[in-house]
Amino acid sequence: MNQTSTSEIINQIRGTKSVPGVCIICPWHCPTEVFVRDNKVVYVRGNENAPNATTRCVKGVSSIHLSRDPDRLLHPLKKDKNGNFKMITWDDAFSIIAEKLLDIKEKYGPEAVGYLWHLDSNEMFSQQLFTQLYGTPNWSGHGAACDQSRRLAGLMTYGHPLPTKDYENSRLILLWGEDPLGPNQSLHENRELVEALKKGAKLVVVDPYRSRTAEKAHEWLPINPGTDGALALAMTHRIIETGAYDADFCENYIYGFEVYAEHIQSNGYTPQWAESITGIDAKRIIAIADEFARTKPAVADGLKGIVNYTNGFQSLRAIFSLNAITGNMDGPGCIILKEAGPLAPPLMIPEEDVAVPQRPIISAEMGYPLAPDIPSQLFPKAVLEEDPYPLKALFFHIVNPAMADPNTALFKKMMAALELSVTIDVYLSETAQLSDIVLPEASMFERAEVRESLWSGPQVIMAQPAIPCLGSSKPLYDIMRGLGEKMGYGKYFQWESWEDWAKVATAYLPISFEELKENGVWHGELRYHKYLEDGFMTSTGRVEVYSETLSEFGYDPMPAYDDTNRVKPDADYPFQLINGKSQYHCGTHTQNNPYLMAIESENWAELNPLDAQKLGIADGDTIELASPIDKVKIAVRLKEGLKPGIVRVVHGHGFGRTMGSVARGKGTHVNPIFDSVVNDISGGIGYNECKVSVRKA
Ligand SMILES: Nc1nc2c(c(=O)[nH]1)N[C@H]1C(S)=C(S)[C@@H](COP(=O)(O)OP(=O)(O)OC[C@H]3O[C@@H](n4cnc5c(=O)[nH]c(N)nc54)[C@H](O)[C@@H]3O)O[C@H]1N2
Ligand SMILES: Nc1nc2c(c(=O)[nH]1)N[C@H]1C(S)=C(S)[C@@H](COP(=O)(O)OP(=O)(O)OC[C@H]3O[C@@H](n4cnc5c(=O)[nH]c(N)nc54)[C@H](O)[C@@H]3O)O[C@H]1N2
Ligand code: SF4
Ligand SMILES: [Mo]
């Protein structure tokens, strides 16, 4: 049976038509096929033409509820003087916002407006409107809450912000603080990981918690929280000391190898040194270092379990450097420096019309010149103290920092002080509830999207509207057009239908528009060892274990062990609070989904049974977690595979959701107890640096 025929058979059986789509429930953005009957979404699965093939995860398949959720936001809303939302027309909404934006620009300059977003490729329209036309430099993704330290480590080490992994061809996979066989399931990567395991690859997981991935691993290294940098450096010490590194790669493709080797030796980063810091036996560190150096190809990578610490940036630099010194770079079975598809901006704005920002991006003036995204934790300082300059208006699109960011009290205070706050969402989210104006966006089933994916090779997805927009909701491109027109930029937003701008965006792809529309996805060749021709995109053209850029900005140019994590448990707050993700939810936007809530209706905290016994706590009890800034009550689960002295929470549930009848009142909003600690270099949020006391509630 060929690929198209399975679709056709499903269509015939179910009387549906299938429309290529994309799933944005989690950041993996799987290309999908959306099956529609009578303008209703009846089924979603992975796109047959993509590497994830027809698979989908539980969140993806349940996502059809979004297309028919009676709690969806359907009309623009504006808060009145008494703080109650009233429906307004789109025309009024655009006029009010545009007028305020022009007023702010005149009084304070365009940089007084910030725009925060996550996940949506249509953000190209807001980028062009806000940065190129209106002229603010403060348009940013929400990366600081997510993978910011990894992105900067990728840039500073490999010259690439988003290294991926070629699991399938790997023989040794070393994962630090990431859980792909648990919550973080990318459909294509998971398939490849499972294939690698079937072919006999060895999987080693470093995590203070026996995660689902750790359960499936050949080896689990239960490490002390925040100490992964010490483990990576000690492995490096062993590999250099025994001469097991790839001398040819180090000599020809690494910048600063000699000085790095000297730095590792002179700082005494030995396995014995790391043993007391990491809690991992020196013999085990030696064994894993030897195995990593000898097994080819191998891959080492880390995610939230590393970047959630303020030393995470340098820890990841040390992990990334391990791949390089063993020659495991951009080849089959290695870290891959992904190539992007040749997408163009959808709006054609002549160079002479492009605004020149008057001031640098706010993060640069706040002392984070290398931060890939603005650390959203810095916004309150700018709004409340006008430091380094006033910030008067904030836009939020597909983000919910009232839930997702630490220190909820500070966030609320900031919202109250803004002259204008606008949230564009599909629900009346907790951030929307704190905003002046709320704009309803059409969901991923109702709009077009042209985007790059996270597959290791170049891949462009063209998602298309499968059903009409619910209520009067609009896709972001139409929202930006409406706003742009009122701000006097109407001439750049000329299209009859989404196909017109999509043709502009995809003009450089090597297939025709019609073919792309039919398939919903295009992928190019996954090229290996691109550095042989192109070098690395760093300032020296090599992998930089010694970074001249970091040095120039006054940071440590080489990965060093940084034991200055700000928050450590003490007598008053004896537990370290760390985070994991929910298998059945993503962030804060799946909690109104009845299918997912039927599986997992609330979040929880986990505790080692030995700790629980001492505190008189039993499985299923409600406990109180108190940090220096706030306290919350949450259900507890006992878990033997969690190092004593640690509490691990799953974030996502439990705040307002006035329009979310399924979500309302379920679970615990945990972020009030996390304070705003950020990495000094990347500006990434250190969610795992929190100390708490625990008692039975
Ligand atoms: N189902 C589901 N999937 C998701 C998401 C979701 O919410 N739900 N979120 C998506 C997003 S936004 C992201 S960024 C990714 C995140 O993907 P992952 O990073 O894979 O997600 P986590 O489950 O947070 O895994 C982090 C792991 O780090 C461990 N950890 C904590 N402290 C340390 C430490 O000091 N050292 C080490 N080595 N490990 C530590 C935790 O115990 C946890 O198991 O997942 C994405 N996929
Ligand atoms: N304590 C703790 N906090 C964390 C984490 C953690 O592990 N622990 N994880 C962090 C991580 S990795 C991340 S990435 C962030 C995520 O945090 P955010 O980037 O803020 O994402 P979400 O919290 O999922 O909120 C997404 C919002 O988008 C809305 N939405 C969904 N689909 C659409 C759409 O199509 N259009 C529009 N306009 N809106 C839509 C949802 O209703 C929701 O309000 O959270 C971070 N916060
Ligand atoms: S892995 Fe993420 S993007 Fe893919 S189907 Fe599941 S929720 Fe959607
Ligand atoms: Mo994330």
Side-chain angles (χ1 to χ4, degrees):
M1 190 182 296
N2 73 29
Q3 290 188 339
T4 11
S5 67
T6 51
S7 276
E8 278 165 12
I9 288 165
I10 288 181
N11 295 348
Q12 284 160 16
I13 294 170
R14 299 173 192 265
T16 58
K17 74 171 175 158
S18 73
V19 182
V22 65
C23 179
I24 66 151
I25 298 294
C26 92
W28 287 102
H29 310 145
C30 297
T32 57
E33 282 179 69
V34 180
F35 292 84
V36 181
R37 186 172 47 220
D38 302 330
N39 278 338
K40 271 207 160 136
V41 177
V42 294
Y43 181 58
V44 195
R45 66 174 193 178
N47 187 318
E48 286 188 307
N49 303 311
N52 60 310
T54 56
T55 49
R56 70 275 182 224
C57 76
V58 63
K59 304 179 298 302
V61 79
S62 309
S63 66
I64 60 169
H65 182 71
L66 189 58
S67 71
R68 52 173 93 131
D69 189 340
D71 290 336
R72 277 267 303 273
L73 187 64
L74 300 180
H75 304 286
L77 303 173
K78 181 177 181 298
K79 231 176 229 167
D80 66 16
K81 285 198 184 74
N82 305 318
N84 300 318
F85 280 117
K86 292 272 151 36
M87 258 166 55
I88 52 170
T89 63
W90 276 106
D91 196 62
D92 282 350
F94 291 144
S95 297
I96 296 166
I97 298 169
E99 202 175 302
K100 190 74 201 168
L101 288 179
L102 297 175
D103 178 53
I104 288 175
K105 188 172 179 171
E106 207 175 291
K107 280 200 198 131
Y108 310 98
E111 66 278 0
V113 173
Y115 188 108
L116 193 67
W117 61 277
H118 202 49
L119 293 180
D120 186 4
S121 60
N122 289 323
E123 224 58 77
M124 291 180 294
F125 292 90
S126 69
Q127 181 181 24
Q128 291 196 277
L129 175 62
F130 279 85
T131 67
Q132 298 188 353
L133 296 170
Y134 182 75
T136 177
N138 295 320
W139 174 93
S140 175
H142 200 191
C146 186
D147 62 340
Q148 181 109 319
S149 283
R150 184 179 185 274
R151 269 197 279 159
L152 189 61
L155 280 169
M156 294 296 117
T157 316
Y158 303 146
H160 195 292
L162 270 179
T164 58
K165 299 181 267 291
D166 185 27
Y167 276 132
E168 192 164 349
N169 298 303
S170 200
R171 292 191 51 228
L172 176 60
I173 299 160
L174 182 46
L175 296 180
W176 314 56
E178 60 178 300
D179 195 4
L181 298 177
N184 184 17
Q185 298 176 6
S186 135
L187 298 179
H188 65 269
E189 264 204 359
N190 266 60
R191 285 181 146 217
E192 290 161 17
L193 176 55
V194 171
E195 281 308 313
L197 295 176
K198 278 201 241 164
K199 286 196 278 183
K202 179 169 176 179
L203 176 64
V204 179
V205 169
V206 186
D207 199 313
Y209 175 82
R210 200 159 69 94
S211 64
R212 292 211 186 201
T213 311
E215 276 168 15
K216 305 266 184 311
H218 300 88
E219 245 187 84
W220 168 44
L221 304 180
I223 194 163
N224 289 334
T227 65
D228 299 79
L231 175 60
L233 291 165
M235 286 176 65
T236 309
H237 188 282
R238 170 73 185 177
I239 290 169
I240 291 174
E241 188 180 48
T242 55
Y245 53 88
D246 182 330
D248 177 58
F249 190 88
C250 291
E251 192 182 330
N252 294 306
Y253 300 105
I254 292 186
Y255 182 77
F257 176 70
E258 291 298 326
V259 60
Y260 186 47
E262 168 57 29
H263 154 89
I264 296 282
Q265 296 290 337
S266 63
N267 278 292
Y269 292 144
T270 62
Q272 289 71 23
W273 161 81
E275 180 177 287
S276 61
I277 298 173
T278 60
I280 299 169
D281 197 74
K283 286 202 196 84
R284 252 186 125 179
I285 300 178
I286 290 172
I288 193 71
D290 290 351
E291 195 170 1
F292 192 75
R294 141 179 110 233
T295 315
K296 300 273 162 34
V299 61
D301 196 4
L303 192 52
K304 289 292 289 183
I306 312 301
V307 306
N308 273 348
Y309 295 90
T310 52
N311 66 5
F313 166 70
Q314 290 292 14
S315 303
L316 258 174
R317 288 248 305 138
I319 293 169
F320 283 167
S321 297
L322 271 176
N323 289 312
I325 65 167
T326 52
N328 284 301
M329 280 308 305
D330 205 34
C334 302
I335 271 286
I336 299 291
L337 305 183
K338 174 186 167 56
E339 285 184 286
L343 284 175
L347 304 183
M348 288 188 277
I349 305 173
E351 218 170 300
E352 60 274 19
D353 290 2
V354 173
V356 181
Q358 301 302 300
R359 291 193 73 156
I361 187 163
I362 204 156
S363 41
E365 292 211 5
M366 280 185 159
Y368 298 85
L370 296 176
D373 279 344
I374 298 174
S376 48
Q377 290 299 291
L378 301 182
F379 284 140
K381 195 168 165 53
V383 174
L384 298 168
E385 298 167 34
E386 305 206 339
D387 179 14
Y389 51 71
L391 198 57
K392 296 290 173 186
L394 278 175
F395 284 70
F396 302 94
H397 179 234
I398 323 198
V399 286
N400 191 8
M403 284 288 284
D405 279 14
N407 202 335
T408 315
L410 184 65
F411 182 81
K412 284 184 171 171
K413 205 169 152 198
M414 174 194 79
M415 292 298 276
L418 284 166
E419 285 191 17
L420 175 70
S421 50
V422 179
T423 293
I424 307 166
D425 206 294
V426 288
Y427 290 105
L428 189 60
S429 70
E430 292 75 6
T431 303
Q433 288 168 49
L434 299 171
S435 302
D436 302 320
I437 296 183
V438 184
L439 304 176
E441 197 185 10
S443 82
M444 62 189 185
F445 296 109
E446 298 139 50
R447 63 180 187 233
E449 269 196 52
V450 176
R451 75 183 312 149
E452 179 64 47
S453 77
L454 288 181
W455 183 58
S456 289
Q459 184 184 56
V460 169
I461 302 166
M462 185 186 279
Q464 296 147 51
I467 55 167
C469 297
L470 255 60
S472 66
S473 66
K474 287 179 190 286
L476 192 76
Y477 40 91
D478 283 334
I479 298 177
M480 290 301 127
R481 169 158 72 173
L483 199 52
E485 281 167 350
K486 295 280 186 195
M487 290 162 78
Y489 308 120
K491 66 178 172 186
Y492 306 111
F493 292 85
Q494 297 295 323
W495 60 79
E496 293 291 321
S497 72
W498 68 268
E499 280 98 335
D500 296 340
W501 60 254
K503 278 180 188 154
V504 176
T506 57
Y508 300 108
L509 255 66
I511 59 167
S512 72
F513 186 77
E514 284 66 35
E515 203 183 335
L516 181 58
K517 206 174 157 193
E518 169 78 23
N519 293 341
V521 64
W522 164 84
H523 35 267
E525 184 198 349
L526 196 179
R527 287 198 306 140
Y528 294 116
H529 297 129
K530 298 175 281 291
Y531 62 85
L532 294 175
E533 276 175 37
D534 312 332
F536 292 90
M537 297 296 284
T538 54
S539 58
T540 58
R542 292 173 170 225
V543 172
E544 295 188 356
V545 292
Y546 184 104
S547 163
E548 291 290 356
T549 310
L550 287 174
S551 165
E552 212 176 285
F553 281 88
Y555 302 122
D556 205 333
M558 289 181 285
Y561 184 61
D562 171 5
D563 189 26
T564 57
N565 281 346
R566 314 269 161 68
V567 185
K568 294 210 171 89
D570 54 30
D572 292 335
Y573 303 97
F575 286 86
Q576 175 119 17
L577 184 62
I578 66 168
N579 293 263
K581 303 265 179 195
S582 155
Q583 177 105 7
Y584 304 106
H585 288 278
C586 190
T588 67
H589 67 147
T590 47
Q591 288 78 8
N592 208 51
N593 186 309
Y595 310 122
L596 298 174
M597 289 298 268
I599 306 173
E600 206 165 81
S601 65
E602 58 175 23
N603 55 338
W604 65 93
E606 279 163 281
L607 203 57
N608 185 287
L610 296 173
D611 286 333
Q613 202 181 13
K614 281 187 216 149
L615 296 164
I617 292 168
D619 194 60
D621 279 353
T622 300
I623 56 169
E624 183 189 89
L625 298 177
S627 80
I629 62 164
D630 211 338
K631 49 181 128 176
V632 296
K633 289 191 174 122
I634 189 165
V636 73
R637 295 181 185 178
L638 302 190
K639 169 92 177 179
E640 273 182 8
L642 173 65
K643 287 192 84 136
I646 302 176
V647 184
R648 187 180 186 268
V649 288
V650 164
H651 137 91
H653 297 66
F655 188 177
R657 297 274 149 172
T658 47
M659 279 180 76
S661 51
V662 180
R664 198 181 305 143
K666 305 270 172 51
T668 301
H669 175 42
V670 291
N671 274 333
I673 59 175
F674 291 91
D675 206 348
S676 320
V677 280
V678 298
N679 180 284
D680 284 341
I681 308 173
S682 75
I685 297 171
Y687 287 98
N688 286 349
E689 280 182 41
C690 185
K691 54 180 182 179
V692 287
S693 62
V694 181
R695 68 175 184 88
K696 194 170 162 175

